[in-house]
Amino acid sequence: MAIGRPLNRVEAREKVTGAARYTADARLPGMVYAALVGSAVSAGRVRAIDTTRAEAAPGVLAVLTHLNRPQWHGTPDALRYQETRFPLADEHIHHHGQYLAMVVAGTREQAAHAADLVAVDYETRPAVPTLDAALPDAHQPVWRFEPEFPTLLAIGDPEAMLAAADVRIEREYRTPYYSHAPMEPHATLAHWAGGSLTVYTTSQHVHGDRPVIAGALGVPPDRVRVISSLVGGAFGNKTAVWGPTLLAAVAARQVGRPVQLVVTRKQVFTCHGHQPPILQRLRVGANRDGTLQAIVHHTVNGTPVLFDRPEGAISPTGTVYALRSVGVRVEVARMHMPTPATMRTPGDGPGMFAVGSALDELSYELGIDPVELRRRNHLAAHPLERKPWSGKQLLECYDEGARRFGWERRAPRPRMMRDGGDWVGFGMSSAQRLEHHGPARAVVEIRDDGTAEVRTSTQEIGTGNLTTLTQVAAGGTGIEPDRIGFRSGDTTLPESSPTYGSRTTGSTGTAVHLAALRARQVAARLAIADARSPLHGLPEERIGAAHGRLYDVDAPRRGETYRELLRRNGRRSIVEQGFHDLAGRDPRFSYATFGAHFTEVRIDDTLRRVRVTRHVGVFAVGRVLNPKTARNQAQGGIVYALGGALMEELTADPVTGRFIAPALTDYHVPVNADVGEIDVSFVEEPDYGAHPLGAKGLGEVVAVGVHASIANAVYHAIGIRVRDLPITPDKLVAGPR
Amino acid sequence: MSDGTKRRTVLAGGLSVGVGLAAAPARAEASTPKTDLLTLVVNGRRVRVDVDVRASLLDTLRDRLHLTGTKKGCDQGACGACTVLLDGRRVLSCLTLAVMHEGSEVTTVEGLADGDRLHPVQRAFADHDGFQCGFCTSGQIVSAVGLLAEHPDLTDAEIPELMSGNLCRCAAYGNIRAAIAAAARLSREGE
């Protein structure tokens, strides 16, 4: 059985030899290079822009600004474009770094040099630089498109329940500007031929990008091909088309050559998404026995000046713990910030930091162990959908995690555990992520040489999906994974689900699974109908498949290979489609993935630097397709959130709002030495109600709850509760709070 | 002789630009960009290429020699994705100009395997799943190869600190450590 085996990644060889081709590695004859000029101010307008020196510089083919750009087609809203204005739309400046000009030249060096020669005369206006400065503007958001979550909601009577509760806590939590910071900067290579456009671009959803690109350029979508097969990390900031992709496409049309545009690292930080600062006010009421009576959760996040973009930090509030009443209010406040983008893990990441921290604070108020407090508030059904959860092994995750971690050694109060100069602390949190899914299509082809091929538009962003989907196809067809090829990342292929929001396993996985089963079924029927087949006349349910061979399950030696069957019948191949239908789920249940985190921190008493020395994560994600890639992804998600908990922050200048140091030298993502021992395991029980494969998403849930688990461990170690991330040493120098 | 002269000219040129900027902020007008005929030994092959004097070693490898295995993650020496071996030493190829390395030997990730036979470090990264998206992997592997050459007696405990110049945002760090530790054991046992 291929599913569940710890196979090496199918693209491992390409990745370790440097043969793997990412977007910026694509080369076309006659290709030229583009570079962008960003605004030095956060608010105002371009009074004048002088491109004469840039245009005169050696090798320069074109300089585009708002004054001479080609006309855009369609509208950002109609095309559901990420921003409300297309690049170089007009002279107005709404955030620092906003692209004001693009230079196209014969070489990379010529383009970069000429971009430096573009002179901008700014009319600068005062900026709203920080969330605190924006707070007076806090308002109920207007959704640009359909609402994604409730922004004002009360279940029960939370105010009355709070007032009546035995114990109340009221706290404010904050998360800063976070950057996705994938290793691969955004890149596009655009090429026109005969009125058709091919765009190689760093994308988490090629079929989603195509209508946006086609619409903005005024080209029929079937004349646009988008290619993105290997993506060098994304974490959400390649979920949508960004301006440079459109600019590369118009530039390629204008200069009549393929144009490559790779943004700089600084531009990745400033113009390709981030998670905005979020302030969360949480009021929690509970009775002495620990039963939660009410949570009232009020959030305000920074939003760009041009449109409202609420963050869903309220996501865990009403859906993780059993509550008698819930109140949520989501607001946004306008700042001169670049456009944010969905970031791992949207809503639940910051939301569970607040809720998971508040539960911990409550546990000390009540004198109840944090794990026990969560057990007492275990939630069996989705409170809004009013349906029982499917596949909720959260209690087992608590048990297994506590056992693996050694939770019973935890001292009941803070500042009770020392090891030499280190304070030692234990913390924990729950993890939960609703299991989203979407339509997905795939094709599986079984060929007369005994091989097979999977075709779907998904891209490998690092999750291991080419490998796990190959295993799914192997499971369905009975052909060994090393005999299965994969074509992906291209709009000429059937549309997969996007590679964000933990959708690949459930949605695209189901499509591949169904396609593989159908291809095998067609082959089986061919054998049954074929008088020369050893399987002739057998009932269909008696035919199994393994090792590239169909066989009689009651007499396994009786059978034949796909190769023999197809060749004898003169069939080159069998090609079948699979479609993941949203109606395919068992409607009686609600679906999510679950987990528990346990963290040990050590804090040097003098330096007050927090080290996560041990972390245990246990997850319930249904069936695990490949334990090797799954464990890797889970460890990665934990470290991703660890960065946000302890070190990551894009610092904004308090006057202009500009990011002070948009560089990896100052935006500290975790390095190898920051990472201690991370123990990942799974409570594995297939969830067939969710998907026919029984497997659910993984990439998001593993990162949910880590911030709280670490912050709770820090409090336990040293008695200081940090409610504004990241937990840097300066916040730990005071005495206990 | 002439090669040496060229290198000195370039260095002196670079210096004078710096001095010029300090003295007068006006940027020197763009003139026809200088190019230089450069000889490198890349992955054991001698190559001659006419390069823009402003081109980094990284861009020269990628744009001129079409060796795109070496990646540009930040172009400012902070991420390690562009690590190559230059005359056997690990360097960040984004931080050095190509023209400064006339006659040097460069080993990139493409030069590690022996035909179809992977280098032990490459093999170990594949088997230990020492990556996810793979974008930092070339740099990680070349760094690890350089590290093992410099520290034949590398202990497992030393790996995290010595590999911290190579960022991996997917955070496959545990597997990277396991891969390097396995390759280190293999090379010690092989001796």
Side-chain angles (χ1 to χ4, degrees), chain A residues 8-9 11-13 15-18 20-22 24-25 27 33 53 57-58 107-110 113 116-117 179-185 231-233 235 265-266 343-344 460-463 628-629 632-633 635-637 639-640 648 662-665 667 669-677, chain B residues 27-33 52 54-56 59 62-63 66 68-76 78-79 81 109-110 113 115-118 122-123 125-138 140-141 159-161 163-164 166-177:
Chain A
N8 284 1
R9 282 169 207 256
E11 79 284 11
R13 190 177 185 90
K15 284 183 174 173
V16 300
T17 56
R21 287 272 177 278
Y22 298 80
D25 301 333
R27 296 286 180 273
Y33 300 84
R53 286 177 70 209
T107 70
R108 198 177 301 283
E109 293 77 23
Q110 289 169 338
H113 176 64
D116 255 6
L117 301 177
S179 179
H180 309 69
M183 298 308 300
E184 178 198 39
V231 176
F235 315 106
R265 177 51 61 178
K266 179 178 175 182
M343 180 172 142
R344 186 195 206 182
E460 174 60 82
I461 64 170
T463 58
K628 185 181 273 194
T629 56
N632 193 349
Q633 192 180 12
Q635 290 176 337
V639 175
Y640 195 88
E648 293 178 34
L664 289 167
T665 46
Y667 187 87
V669 306
V671 302
N672 203 316
D674 290 321
V675 176
E677 183 194 327
Chain B
R27 193 186 278 109
E29 265 309 325
S31 56
T32 308
D52 189 314
R54 300 168 297 189
S56 66
D59 285 337
R62 290 178 50 83
D63 293 341
H66 308 294
T68 54
T70 308
K71 298 295 185 240
K72 184 187 285 188
C74 69
D75 215 18
Q76 49 190 190
C79 78
V109 69
E110 290 96 338
D116 279 349
R117 251 187 62 221
L118 295 178
Q122 291 173 312
R123 178 84 262 156
F125 268 71
D127 288 341
H128 290 267
D129 209 31
F131 47 85
Q132 291 176 33
C133 81
F135 200 80
C136 72
T137 309
S138 304
Q140 301 275 0
I141 288 177
I159 295 171
E161 195 66 41
M163 285 299 295
S164 281
N166 288 83
L167 304 181
C168 172
R169 183 57 158 164
C170 303
Y173 291 125
N175 291 358
I176 290 169
R177 300 201 292 244

Side-chain angles (χ1 to χ4, degrees), chain A residues 201-321:
Chain A
T201 192
T202 45
S203 169
Q204 292 177 262
H205 188 28
V206 290
H207 279 284
D209 287 5
R210 173 160 72 174
V212 180
I213 297 167
L217 274 87
V219 184
D222 61 3
R223 307 300 295 271
V224 176
R225 180 180 176 191
V226 181
I227 298 173
S228 176
S229 184
L230 290 180
V231 176
F235 315 106
N237 81 351
K238 293 165 183 166
T239 53
V241 176
W242 293 103
T245 299
L246 302 180
L247 290 172
V250 297
R253 185 161 59 184
Q254 182 164 328
V255 303
R257 316 254 303 254
V259 171
Q260 189 205 61
L261 174 47
V262 183
V263 306
T264 65
R265 177 51 61 178
K266 179 178 175 182
Q267 288 163 347
V268 176
F269 275 110
T270 50
C271 286
H272 294 265
H274 56 83
Q275 186 175 91
I278 309 172
L279 180 156
Q280 306 182 57
R281 295 190 182 106
L282 213 53
R283 289 183 292 149
V284 182
N287 282 353
R288 278 279 159 222
D289 64 359
T291 52
L292 290 168
Q293 303 299 303
I295 298 184
V296 177
H297 195 173
H298 172 206
T299 71
V300 186
N301 67 266
T303 195
V305 288
L306 293 180
F307 61 101
D308 291 347
R309 196 184 173 290
E311 290 284 333
I314 49 98
S315 171
T317 313
T319 59
V320 175
Y321 301 112

Side-chain angles (χ1 to χ4, degrees), chain B residues 73-95:
Chain B
C74 69
D75 215 18
Q76 49 190 190
C79 78
C82 67
T83 307
V84 299
L85 300 179
L86 184 69
D87 297 322
R89 287 184 313 116
R90 294 173 286 161
V91 301
L92 299 170
S93 61
C94 75
L95 280 191

Side-chain angles (χ1 to χ4, degrees), chain A residues 534-549:
Chain A
L535 302 169
H536 177 63
L538 281 185
E540 202 175 307
E541 61 274 14
R542 256 181 67 186
I543 298 189
H547 306 295
R549 180 174 170 273

Side-chain angles (χ1 to χ4, degrees), chain A residues 403-674:
Chain A
R403 190 187 65 76
R404 296 175 84 96
F405 184 81
W407 183 255
E408 79 285 352
R409 299 200 312 269
R410 173 182 178 270
R413 304 298 306 169
R415 294 175 77 85
M416 287 177 71
M417 291 161 61
R418 283 293 289 257
D419 182 5
D422 285 343
W423 294 99
V424 180
F426 289 180
M428 63 84 54
S429 173
S430 322
Q432 179 176 304
R433 172 76 180 169
L434 297 178
E435 172 74 0
H436 299 290
H437 65 155
R441 290 177 194 279
V443 159
V444 170
E445 176 173 2
I446 299 175
R447 293 168 171 157
D448 71 351
D449 61 357
T451 65
E453 184 174 80
V454 183
R455 297 196 282 272
T456 183
S457 68
T458 193
Q459 44 287 133
E460 174 60 82
I461 64 170
T463 58
N465 61 346
L466 298 187
T467 309
T468 52
L469 294 174
T470 297
Q471 290 175 265
V472 169
T477 58
I479 294 172
E480 290 298 299
D482 61 0
R483 305 278 285 163
I484 299 178
F486 210 117
R487 282 175 56 207
S488 64
D490 192 326
T491 47
T492 59
L493 299 170
E495 180 171 353
S496 71
S497 70
T499 46
Y500 53 75
S502 282
R503 284 158 210 258
T504 295
T505 294
S507 306
T508 309
T510 297
V512 172
H513 175 65
L514 296 176
L517 286 182
R518 276 185 198 139
R520 164 174 153 181
Q521 185 182 48
V522 167
R525 288 177 180 169
L526 184 64
I528 292 165
D530 179 358
R532 292 165 297 174
S533 170
L535 302 169
H536 177 63
L538 281 185
E540 202 175 307
E541 61 274 14
R542 256 181 67 186
I543 298 189
H547 306 295
R549 180 174 170 273
L550 295 170
Y551 64 93
D552 179 354
V553 292
D554 292 342
R557 296 176 70 172
R558 178 179 172 191
E560 65 175 330
T561 61
Y562 284 116
R563 186 173 183 271
E564 287 162 339
L565 173 69
L566 292 182
R567 291 211 167 160
R568 191 175 59 249
N569 282 277
R571 291 278 299 263
R572 295 287 299 277
S573 68
I574 292 169
V575 181
E576 288 297 317
Q577 285 216 29
F579 174 56
H580 172 61
D581 186 345
L582 291 181
R585 265 185 187 173
D586 187 332
R588 292 170 301 169
F589 297 97
S590 290
Y591 297 97
T593 47
F594 306 92
H597 294 281
F598 292 83
T599 307
E600 176 192 278
V601 298
R602 283 165 188 261
I603 304 170
D604 182 280
D605 186 49
T606 315
L607 290 175
R608 298 291 163 114
R609 191 173 71 110
V610 180
R611 286 175 299 130
V612 172
T613 41
R614 285 194 305 130
H615 188 99
V616 170
V618 184
F619 306 102
V621 294
R623 193 176 179 190
V624 174
L625 300 177
N626 180 328
K628 185 181 273 194
T629 56
R631 194 162 284 128
N632 193 349
Q633 192 180 12
Q635 290 176 337
I638 291 165
V639 175
Y640 195 88
L642 178 155
L646 293 181
M647 56 193 82
E648 293 178 34
E649 175 174 24
L650 267 174
T651 308
D653 175 77
V655 175
T656 65
R658 295 182 64 185
F659 298 151
I660 288 171
L664 289 167
T665 46
D666 296 78
Y667 187 87
H668 286 174
V669 306
V671 302
N672 203 316
D674 290 321

